Amino acid sequence: MKAQHFIGNEWVPGAGGGTIDVIDPSDGAPFDQIARGNAVDIDVAVRAARAAVGPEFSGQWGRLSALERGRLLMRLSNAVLEQQEALAQLEARDTGKALKTARVDAIVLARYFEFYAGACDKLHGETLPFQSGYTVLTLREPHGVTGHIVPWNYPMQVFGRSVGAALAAGNACVVKPAEDGSLSLLRVAQIAAQVGFPPGVVNVVTGYGHEAGAALTAHSGVDHLSFTGSTATGKLVGHAAAERHCPLVLELGGKSPQIIFADADLDAALPAVVNAIAQNCGQTCSAGSRLLVERSVYEAVLEKLAVKFKSLRAGPPAMDLDMGPLVNQKQFAQVRAMLAQAQSDGITVMARGSVAAESPARGFYQEAVLLRDVPPGNALAQREVFGPVLAAMPFDDEAHALQLANGTDYGLCAGLWTRDGARQMRMARKLRCGQVFINNYGAGGGVELPFGGVKSSGFGREKGFEALLGFTTLKTIAIRHGV
Ligand code: NAD
């Protein structure tokens, strides 16, 4: 599959002939190449997808029953499970994530296909009460061709949740993976072809965001866009979609708070708090990157957390430690710059993890860092670091906790740790975000649970059954038949 796109169930060389080196984050050395796709490649892929759907859904894919779509998705799920180890190894090499994280990603990818396989033939419209002499019904129809722009932090999981739902709803997909996370998705597209998806249903075009990505967002043959990535790029995608009135879902960044009250079960809370920022080396949109602790237990919580942070180790994916390296030089420089800023702003480092001595010198390794007393207005409390950096601050009461929790431009997730049931519901209702986890965080990935943000974290929902609604358009049919 070296340096080629996967279009129409075939390996296709890029029209421009250019390539992009694939860098191994564990040692900074190139180990493969992907094709540098351009607008011509995107056009070829969109045409392939359009042909699969066919005019008025008359194509090989467009006319397939929901039951048959579900069976194909189930075959894909099983095939991914059979190849999970190879996919995980590929993902770990490409993105630097620890093998244990990559293995979970491969299993979750299969789980998304399984969930959406079962959902295909449960998606339906309604009949609506209307004036007498009429029958009114709604149909849930696919958009047609959907475009998917995928980030490098969880290529397989994001592919599963957005492409899985789009396929279940009956769309044909054109996927533009991130430059730093393309290899696994090319392979998954090939597996989809092998299990029987018709040509043109799952297409992957690799390349840079400003070239292949921008061409996908601007293509008039794309009927819906799904973007997961940075808030800044999300704005560009939103503008491009608005130019041609293309519906879209935007899954952007977050600065999600973990809120610990004095009555919390700390034995349950603290491992989850650590995992929420160490997982995938902090490169998770829903990372719990802010820690808000009730003042009476603030010192005790920080002392306990410091012990845990000091034990966190980063190293090459093959060592399978708590964290791998960061994904690339750009991300490494960004995290370092934000930590340097924290230092010059006088913010105290409460604890640091370590980097394994065996790690190659040119890899992008960043130890975990716990910062304390971060001023709420400081960049470390407001901006996404996208690295293993946790910003802690105390709060005085419920109102103060809410003010801090809601006091950023983001609104993706929140973790709430308290035994007080009434407070759980008061807080959950007032938190401005898309998901609230009470006495847990992340809910084990939550394939079934709608996910998405408010404010600068984006709009629209993926995951769960809700995603299927976004990947369809609703048609109302009013029939006047008389009484
Ligand atoms: P990015 O938003 O630039 O890239 C995400 C995807 O968008 C990639 O596939 C990229 O090729 C594509 N893209 C880039 N420019 C585009 C354009 N003009 N039109 C269409 N598509 C385009 O993210 P990045 O530069 O790889 O990472 C930078 C920051 O983004 C990170 O530091 C992090 O804060 C954030 N990020 C967030 C998530 C998330 O899940 N919320 C994921 C990855 C990165």
Side-chain angles (χ1 to χ4, degrees):
M1 67 187 189
K2 207 162 182 153
Q4 298 195 348
H5 308 300
F6 196 79
I7 301 174
N9 283 1
E10 287 175 2
W11 294 108
V12 177
T19 56
I20 301 170
D21 281 343
V22 179
I23 308 292
D24 183 339
S26 73
D27 59 11
F31 72 97
D32 205 342
Q33 291 186 319
I34 53 170
R36 179 174 170 174
N38 60 21
V40 176
D41 301 314
I42 289 290
D43 187 54
V44 172
V46 173
R47 284 172 193 277
R50 179 63 59 200
V53 173
E56 283 79 46
F57 296 95
S58 61
Q60 198 183 348
W61 178 245
R63 61 174 191 271
L64 209 64
S65 70
L67 173 65
E68 289 301 332
R69 289 201 305 273
R71 285 179 174 160
L72 276 174
L73 274 165
M74 199 59 223
R75 286 220 286 274
L76 182 55
S77 174
N78 289 333
V80 165
L81 280 182
E82 277 163 22
Q83 302 191 39
Q84 59 176 283
E85 184 57 24
L87 285 166
Q89 295 279 350
L90 193 60
E91 192 82 306
R93 182 103 199 258
D94 197 7
T95 65
K97 59 176 68 200
L99 258 177
K100 59 184 130 212
T101 313
R103 286 183 175 127
V104 169
D105 288 0
I107 291 167
V108 175
L109 172 67
R111 173 71 189 116
Y112 275 116
F113 293 145
E114 181 187 31
F115 178 87
Y116 287 116
C120 282
D121 56 3
K122 283 95 189 161
L123 177 66
H124 53 73
E126 296 176 318
T127 53
L128 308 175
F130 194 55
Q131 297 170 18
S132 78
Y134 284 80
T135 296
V136 179
L137 55 99
T138 57
L139 297 182
R140 287 235 157 246
E141 298 182 332
H143 292 287
V145 176
T146 51
H148 305 256
I149 298 177
V150 178
W152 41 258
N153 54 344
Y154 290 93
M156 287 195 282
Q157 288 210 30
V158 175
F159 185 99
R161 78 184 192 209
S162 93
V163 174
L167 293 175
N171 302 283
C173 304
V174 178
V175 181
K176 210 300 281 174
E179 304 83 299
D180 294 306
S182 294
L183 301 182
S184 61
L185 302 193
L186 287 164
R187 182 80 193 101
V188 174
Q190 187 187 27
I191 298 172
Q194 287 164 349
V195 302
F197 276 85
V201 178
V202 182
N203 308 281
V204 173
V205 176
T206 58
Y208 290 119
H210 65 282
E211 295 176 348
L216 184 59
T217 61
H219 200 295
S220 60
V222 175
D223 304 308
H224 178 279
L225 284 165
S226 161
F227 172 81
T228 305
S230 65
T231 301
T233 307
K235 237 180 229 182
L236 295 176
V237 172
H239 279 296
E243 279 300 321
R244 52 190 193 82
H245 305 294
C246 181
L248 80 162
V249 51
L250 290 179
E251 298 281 1
L252 309 177
K255 193 74 189 174
S256 301
Q258 295 271 19
I259 308 163
I260 299 185
F261 281 89
D263 68 343
D265 175 355
L266 293 184
D267 290 338
L270 299 191
V273 166
V274 172
N275 184 54
I277 191 65
Q279 178 184 310
N280 211 34
C281 209
Q283 303 167 118
T284 305
C285 49
S286 56
S289 53
R290 289 188 295 153
L291 178 64
L292 318 182
V293 187
E294 191 162 7
R295 201 176 293 277
S296 60
V297 292
Y298 184 63
E299 292 302 334
V301 165
L302 287 195
E303 290 296 335
K304 287 185 178 173
L305 270 182
V307 174
K308 292 185 186 292
F309 264 69
K310 284 177 189 161
S311 74
L312 290 173
R313 294 176 74 211
M319 288 182 72
D320 213 9
L321 302 175
D322 303 297
M323 306 185 304
L326 293 163
V327 73
N328 57 26
Q329 177 61 43
K330 181 180 154 202
Q331 202 60 32
F332 186 60
Q334 174 181 308
V335 174
R336 290 284 162 141
M338 288 193 75
L339 285 171
Q341 183 64 46
Q343 191 178 8
S344 69
D345 289 348
I347 293 174
T348 306
V349 173
M350 177 80 189
R352 281 181 194 280
S354 60
V355 173
E358 300 89 331
S359 307
R362 296 175 74 87
F364 311 126
Y365 300 97
Q366 169 61 53
E367 75 276 14
V369 179
L370 173 61
L371 300 172
R372 61 170 295 160
D373 311 335
V374 178
N378 187 275
L380 269 296
Q382 291 289 327
R383 284 181 40 210
E384 218 177 13
V385 178
F386 236 58
V389 180
L390 180 60
M393 62 200 80
F395 68 81
D396 296 312
D397 53 24
E398 244 178 78
H400 190 203
L402 267 173
Q403 181 200 337
L404 292 174
N406 290 339
T408 74
D409 288 341
Y410 293 109
L412 195 54
C413 300
L416 184 57
W417 300 88
T418 173
R419 289 183 165 103
D420 181 333
R423 175 156 62 200
Q424 290 170 0
M425 286 316 303
R426 272 197 306 274
M427 292 284 294
R429 283 175 171 271
K430 289 179 184 164
L431 284 163
R432 289 213 59 208
C433 57
Q435 286 189 327
V436 178
F437 296 100
I438 299 173
N439 295 332
N440 74 98
Y441 195 74
V447 168
E448 307 85 346
L449 314 181
F451 175 76
V454 300
K455 304 194 282 182
S456 293
S457 292
F459 51 78
R461 293 292 176 264
E462 289 192 345
K463 301 192 179 187
F465 203 82
E466 188 74 19
L468 289 174
L469 307 183
F471 282 110
T472 55
T473 178
L474 197 70
K475 181 183 281 172
T476 305
I477 300 177
I479 307 149
R480 184 173 160 225
H481 42 67
V483 286

